[in-house]
Amino acid sequence: MSLKRIFIIFIASFMIISPSYGESDKECFEKPSRAIFKFNQGVDKFFLKPLAKGYNKLPEGVKKGTSNFTSNIATLLSIPNYLLQGEFKGALDATGSFAINTTVGVLGIGNPAAALGLNAQAEDLGQTLGTYGFSGGCYYVLPIIGPTTLRDSFGLIADTFMDPFSIVTLREKELLSVSGSRLDYLTVKGATTIDFRGDNMKNFDSLEKNSIDMYSSMKSVYLQDRKNKINNTTDPDDDDWGNLDN
């Protein structure tokens, strides 16, 4: 099945379940979402945060290489989404960035493409739908995954059919003679999460310290970040969610 046909099916399905446009991101399941948020905080406190602290003790070169590697893989998802948004220059830049970093940068551990001005911003289908005018719809929190909306949840699933890395690993389909496994997928996603948590250690601590209601604060940060990404007002060098203590 072609990418275009898959996208048309996804769009048609999404239009049925979320026909509204605009900026509305209302709470639909606040009580269960707050309970899940507390569960996620526990996972972070006893598992993710300690791992991130250990990760931060690694040499700077190791951390930078890990960040570059995971970001390079994420570029594969950006390419089709740039095309679907009609951002052809962005698609070319992302393709060039991936090609250069994967070869000259040794599988993306280095980032020589940045020196050439190729700084591809991460794009996903949730953002693409947002550029089409679809609102986020219901806001809620998922176990482990965290804050999301109906649009972004739909996009998260659809992305696994569009992302070459997910196709090869999560779906274990050979692509251009490249194969992988679900373990590869989970390893990269885990490394991405730990790298993000480690980079934002002080930001998370500051947000928690200064928040009267951490749930509401995280909701505000998430929705603002998604809005910035849809409008392309986010610095490509920023981490996901930007500066959490701003």
Side-chain angles (χ1 to χ4, degrees):
M1 184 179 291
S2 68
L3 174 62
K4 182 178 180 181
R5 186 175 179 184
I6 291 174
F7 185 69
I8 291 173
I9 293 173
F10 280 143
I11 287 294
S13 301
F14 189 79
M15 289 179 69
I16 294 173
I17 62 175
S18 181
S20 62
Y21 290 77
E23 296 295 333
S24 176
D25 295 289
K26 62 181 180 180
E27 289 268 9
C28 293
F29 315 103
E30 184 169 355
K31 286 187 178 180
S33 286
R34 284 184 176 273
I36 293 170
F37 181 75
K38 287 185 178 180
F39 167 77
N40 288 347
Q41 282 186 301
V43 172
D44 178 72
K45 180 179 180 180
F46 295 107
F47 181 69
L48 184 56
K49 188 174 182 178
L51 283 177
K53 284 184 175 179
Y55 173 79
N56 280 347
K57 294 179 180 179
L58 294 175
E60 191 62 33
V62 174
K63 293 189 292 180
K64 187 63 175 177
T66 301
S67 180
N68 288 340
F69 176 75
T70 56
S71 295
N72 190 53
I73 289 178
T75 304
L76 287 170
L77 176 60
S78 297
I79 297 170
N81 277 289
Y82 270 124
L83 292 173
L84 290 170
Q85 293 172 26
E87 296 286 347
F88 300 113
K89 184 181 183 302
L92 287 173
D93 286 351
T95 301
S97 175
F98 179 79
I100 293 171
N101 287 342
T102 302
T103 53
V104 180
V106 190
L107 300 179
I109 295 175
N111 186 18
L116 301 176
L118 299 176
N119 293 304
Q121 180 169 303
E123 300 286 336
D124 55 53
L125 189 58
Q127 291 168 245
T128 298
L129 291 170
T131 65
Y132 289 174
F134 286 98
S135 71
C138 292
Y139 171 88
Y140 47 92
V141 180
L142 293 174
I144 307 299
I145 293 174
T148 189
T149 61
L150 178 61
R151 179 195 63 215
D152 292 342
S153 295
F154 180 85
L156 184 66
I157 297 171
D159 280 336
T160 65
F161 292 91
M162 298 171 55
D163 178 17
F165 177 71
S166 296
I167 293 171
V168 168
T169 56
L170 181 64
R171 302 194 176 281
E172 298 186 332
K173 303 290 186 180
E174 188 172 301
L175 189 64
L176 300 177
S177 299
V178 177
S179 59
S181 68
R182 291 185 177 89
L183 179 60
D184 297 327
Y185 178 87
L186 293 174
T187 299
V188 170
K189 293 301 181 182
T192 301
T193 301
I194 293 172
D195 177 68
F196 166 74
R197 186 63 175 88
D199 283 347
N200 288 281
M201 188 70 69
K202 292 181 179 179
N203 291 336
F204 273 107
D205 289 345
S206 176
L207 186 66
E208 186 169 12
K209 179 181 178 180
N210 297 311
S211 296
I212 297 175
D213 180 6
M214 186 64 170
Y215 176 87
S216 296
S217 295
M218 290 296 290
K219 174 186 175 181
S220 177
V221 169
Y222 175 81
L223 294 178
Q224 184 61 50
D225 176 73
R226 294 303 288 175
K227 181 179 179 180
N228 290 343
K229 283 181 166 59
I230 290 169
N231 295 329
N232 290 323
T233 55
T234 301
D235 189 325
D237 293 328
D238 283 348
D239 293 309
D240 286 342
W241 296 18
N243 295 314
L244 299 179
D245 55 350
N246 281 354

